[in-house]
C-alpha cells in the first residue's frame, strides 16, 4: 500500500467552522468484497466538498451510510453531531429532515405527478415547515428555483433526463435542509445540461447557504463547484486538496482523475 | 452425486426462502397495527387491484361455467341425473373452482404486477428515497398492497362465482330448456351456509399470500433490470404454489370440521 498523501496547506477551514459531517475509519464489506477500508471525511458548515472515485469504488455506499440506508461494519459516522448508528427510527427521521438527498438516477416516484413527488417529503415533516395543509406555495417555490414551475402536473415519464434531475433537486431541497448530498448530479446528462445543473447547484448554495457533499467523477463539475476535493481510491481517502493542488499533482493515481 | 447435491441445494434454498417469507409476514403483522395508517394509499391500491383483474376474472369465470356444464352434461344424462346439474356445478364452483381459479388469475396478474412495480422502485432507488424522506416504505408500499389483495380477493371470487353460474345456467337454458330462475333456485337449495364460510375464509388467505409474495419478491429485488423481470416471474410461481398449498390446508381443515 502506498503512503497516504495529505495536501494540507489551505485545507484547514477558516476560523474553526462547525463540523456538519464527520466520518472516521469507515469499513464496509459485502461478502468478500471489502469496499470501504477505513475511509474518513469531515464536512464543515457552508462548505462544498467533492468526493471523487472510480466507478464501483464505494462512493454511493459511503453516502448511504451517512443517511442510515446502509449500516457501516466498523467506524463512526456522525451527522450534525449525532452518531447515526445510535439513533432510533424517529430520531433518524428527524435528522433526515435536515438532509436533502439527490439520488444517482433521480429516483422520482413514477406513479406520482411532479407535484405529488415534491409533496411527499412534506407528509411527515409539515410541522417543521410551520405550515398546515396548503403545500402549494412550497412546491411552487421549489419548482421555481429549478425553473420548472410549468411542469407541476406532469408525470415523471413525460420529463426529459435533465428535467427529472431538476425535479429531483427541487424535491431534495423542499424541506430547506441544512445539508445536501448529491450522488453524481450530472451522470447520464449531456455537457450542456450538466452545466445547467451545476449552475443550479451553485445558485442554490448561494441562496440557502447549505453545506454540500458532492459525489462525482465529472472533472468539470468538481472544478466549478468544489472548495475541496477528496479522492477515494481503493477504499480509503487517498488524497485531499483544492482542485488546483490535485490537478497539478504528479502522483499517477491522482493524475488519472484529471487527465482529459 | 452432482444430482444429489443439486437436490440438497434446492431444498436448502427453498427452506431459506420460506424462512425469509415468514419473517417478512411477521414484519407485516408488526407494522400493520402501528400508526400512522396509510388509508388513502390503501383505497387506491384496492381500486387498482379490482380494476386490473375484474375483467379477466369475469371472462374466465363465464367460460369455466360454460365448459364445466357442457362437459358434464353427457355423463349426467347417461345416469338420468340431468336435473342435478345446478347442484353439482353450484357446489363445485362455490367451494373450489371459483376461489382457486380466481386466485390463480390474480397470482398471475397481481403478484407479478406488484413484484415488477416494487422491484423497479427498488432498483431505481425510489424505495430508498421514500425512506430518506421520512416515510416508512414498508408501511406505505407493502402493508397497503397486502391489505388490498387480502380484502379484494374475496370480492373478486364472489363476482367470479356469480358469472360462472350464469354461464352454466345459460347452457342449461339453451340445451335443456331450464329457466334461469329454476336453475338458481336449485343452486341455492344445494348450497348451505357451511359452503360459503370456508370458501370465503380461504379466499382471504389466497389474497394475503398473493400480496405478500408479490411484495416480498419486489421489495428484495436484485439490482439491474434482469432483477425486476426475475422478481415478477418468481412471484407468480411462488404465489401459485402457495395458493395450492393454502387450498390443500383449507380443505384438510374444513374436512375435520365436517366430520365433527
Ligand atoms: N447492496 C449491495 N450488495 C452487495 N454489494 C453492493 C451493494 N451495494 C454496493 N455494492 C458493491 O459495492 C461496490 C461499490 O458500489 P457503489 O455503488 O458504492 O459504487 P460507486 O462508487 O457509487 O460507483 P458508481 O460511480 O458506478 O455509482 C460495488 O462493487 C458494488 O458491487
Ligand atoms: Mg454510485
Amino acid at each position: 500500500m502506498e503512503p497516504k498523501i495529505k495536501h494540507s496547506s489551505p485545507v484547514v477551514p477558516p476560523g474553526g467552522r462547525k463540523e456538519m459531517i464527520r466520518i472516521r475509519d469507515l469499513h464496509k464489506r459485502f461478502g468478500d468484497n471489502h469496499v470501504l477500508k477505513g475511509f474518513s471525511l469531515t464536512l464543515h458548515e457552508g462548505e462544498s466538498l467533492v468526493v471523487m472515485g472510480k466507478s464501483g469504488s464505494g462512493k454511493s455506499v459511503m453516502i448511504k451510510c451517512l443517511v442510515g440506508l446502509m449500516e457501516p461494519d466498523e467506524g463512526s459516522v456522525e451527522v450534525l453531531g449525532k452518531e447515526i448508528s445510535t439513533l432510533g427510527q424517529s430520531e433518524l427521521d428527524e435528522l433526515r429532515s435536515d438532509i436533502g438527498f439527490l439520488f444517482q438516477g433521480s429516483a422520482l416516484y413514477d406513479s406520482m405527478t411532479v407535484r405529488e413527488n415534491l409533496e411527499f417529503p412534506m407528509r411527515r415533516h409539515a410541522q417543521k415547515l410551520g405550515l398546515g395543509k396548503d403545500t402549494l406555495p412550497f412546491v411552487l417555490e421549489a419548482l421555481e428555483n429549478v425553473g420548472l414551475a410549468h411542469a407541476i402536473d406532469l408525470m415523471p415519464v413525460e420529463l426529459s433526463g435533465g428535467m427529472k434531475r431538476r425535479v429531483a433537486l427541487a424535491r431534495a431541497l423542499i424541506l430547506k435542509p441544512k445539508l445536501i448530498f448529491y450522488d453524481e448530479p450530472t451522470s447520464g446528462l449531456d455537457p450542456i445540461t450538466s452545466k445547467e445543473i451545476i449552475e443550479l447547484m451553485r445558485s442554490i448554495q448561494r441562496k440557502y447557504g447549505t453545506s454540500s457533499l458532492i459525489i462525482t467523477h465529472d472533472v468539470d463539475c468538481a472544478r466549478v463547484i468544489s472548495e475541496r476535493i477528496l479522492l477515494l481510491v481503493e477504499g480509503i481517502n487517498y488524497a485531499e486538496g483544492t482542485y488546483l493542488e490535485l490537478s497539478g499533482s504528479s502522483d499517477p493515481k491522482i493524475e488519472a482523475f484529471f487527465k482529459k | 452425486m452432482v444430482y444429489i447435491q443439486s437436490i440438497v441445494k434446492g431444498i436448502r434454498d427453498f427452506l431459506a426462502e420460506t424462512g425469509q417469507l415468514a419473517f417478512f409476514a411477521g414484519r407485516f403483522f408488526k407494522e400493520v397495527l402501528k400508526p400512522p395508517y396509510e388509508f388513502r394509499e390503501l383505497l387506491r391500491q384496492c381500486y387498482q387491484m379490482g380494476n386490473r383483474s375484474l375483467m379477466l376474472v369475469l371472462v374466465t369465470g363465464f367460460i369455466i361455467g360454460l365448459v364445466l356444464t357442457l362437459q358434464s352434461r353427457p355423463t349426467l344424462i347417461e345416469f338420468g341425473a340431468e336435473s342435478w346439474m345446478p347442484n353439482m356445478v353450484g357446489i363445485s364452483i362455490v367451494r373450489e373452482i371459483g376461489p382457486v381459479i380466481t386466485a390463480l388469475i390474480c397470482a398471475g396478474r397481481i403478484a407479478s404486477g406488484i413484484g415488477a412495480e416494487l422491484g423497479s422502485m427498488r432498483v431505481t432507488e425510489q424505495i430508498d428515497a421514500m425512506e430518506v424522506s421520512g416515510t416508512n416504505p414498508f408501511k406505505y408500499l407493502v402493508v397497503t398492497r397486502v391489505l388490498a389483495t387480502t380484502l379484494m380477493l374475496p370480492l373478486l371470487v364472489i363476482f367470479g362465482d356469480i358469472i360462472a353460474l350464469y354461464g352454466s345456467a345459460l347452457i342449461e337454458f339453451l340445451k335443456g330448456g331450464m329457466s334461469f330462475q329454476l336453475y338458481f333456485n336449485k343452486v341455492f337449495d344445494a348450497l348451505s351456509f357451511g359452503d360459503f364460510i370456508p370458501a370465503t375464509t380461504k379466499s382471504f388467505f389466497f389474497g394475503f399470500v398473493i400480496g405478500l409474495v408479490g411484495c416480498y419478491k419486489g421489495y428484495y429485488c436484485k439490482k439491474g433490470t434482469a432483477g425486476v423481470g426475475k422478481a415478477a416471474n418468481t412471484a407468480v410461481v411462488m404465489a401459485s404454489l402457495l395458493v395450492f398449498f393454502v387450498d390443500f390446508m383449507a380443505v384438510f381443515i374444513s374436512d375435520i370440521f365436517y366430520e365433527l
Side-chain angles (χ1 to χ4, degrees), chain A residues 144-214:
Chain A
E144 270 156 18
N145 277 337
V146 297
L148 277 181
H150 58 279
I152 185 162
D153 287 320
L154 297 182
M155 297 298 284
V157 281
E158 298 170 284
L159 305 176
S160 70
M163 287 162 91
K164 274 189 195 148
R165 203 59 58 89
R166 286 168 187 235
V167 173
L169 188 55
R171 187 179 68 182
L173 289 164
I174 193 139
L175 294 177
K176 308 248 164 61
K178 297 187 182 120
L179 259 174
I180 174 158
F181 301 160
Y182 301 90
D183 193 350
E184 310 216 5
T186 58
S187 74
L189 301 177
D190 63 83
I192 297 170
T193 317
S194 295
K195 259 201 198 98
E196 288 169 8
I197 297 282
I198 294 168
E199 267 319 302
L200 265 178
M201 288 163 65
R202 288 184 57 171
S203 72
I204 283 158
Q205 190 110 20
R206 260 176 266 136
K207 190 163 169 187
Y208 297 110
T210 35
S211 328
S212 15
L213 179 65
I214 302 125

Side-chain angles (χ1 to χ4, degrees), chain B residues 102-124:
Chain B
T102 310
L104 287 179
I105 290 172
C106 292
R109 183 109 178 109
I110 296 180
S112 67
I114 295 177
E117 189 188 7
L118 294 198
S120 72
M121 290 186 79
R122 166 65 71 196
V123 169
T124 56

Side-chain angles (χ1 to χ4, degrees), chain A residues 64 96 108 110 123-124, chain B residues 38 125-126 130-131 134:
Chain A
K64 279 180 184 168
R96 281 166 174 171
L108 296 181
D110 36 40
R123 290 160 39 92
R124 291 285 169 266
Chain B
E38 307 281 359
E125 298 183 314
Q126 291 175 48
M130 265 184 196
E131 179 138 20

Side-chain angles (χ1 to χ4, degrees), chain A residues 8 12 19 27 32-33 51 54 69 85-86 113 117 120 133 136 155 170 172 187 202 209 219 224-225 228 239:
Chain A
S8 52
V12 184
E19 283 182 1
H27 285 261
D32 293 336
N33 185 3
V51 175
K54 280 195 301 196
L69 285 172
S85 58
T86 64
T113 64
N117 261 284
F120 201 87
K133 295 272 173 218
L136 189 60
M155 297 298 284
S187 74
R202 288 184 57 171
V219 179
V224 177
I225 209 144
R228 194 154 59 96

Side-chain angles (χ1 to χ4, degrees), chain B residues 17 21 24-25 107 110-112 114-116 118 142 146 149 206-220 231-243:
Chain B
E17 182 100 15
L21 188 66
F24 195 74
I110 296 180
S112 67
I114 295 177
L118 294 198
V142 175
V146 177
T149 52
F206 288 161
F208 177 72
V209 295
I210 288 170
L212 191 74
V213 169
C215 288
Y216 167 73
K217 287 291 181 183
Y219 204 73
Y220 293 117
N233 231 318
T234 50
V236 177
V237 176
M238 197 168 176
S240 313
L241 281 177
L242 276 175
V243 163

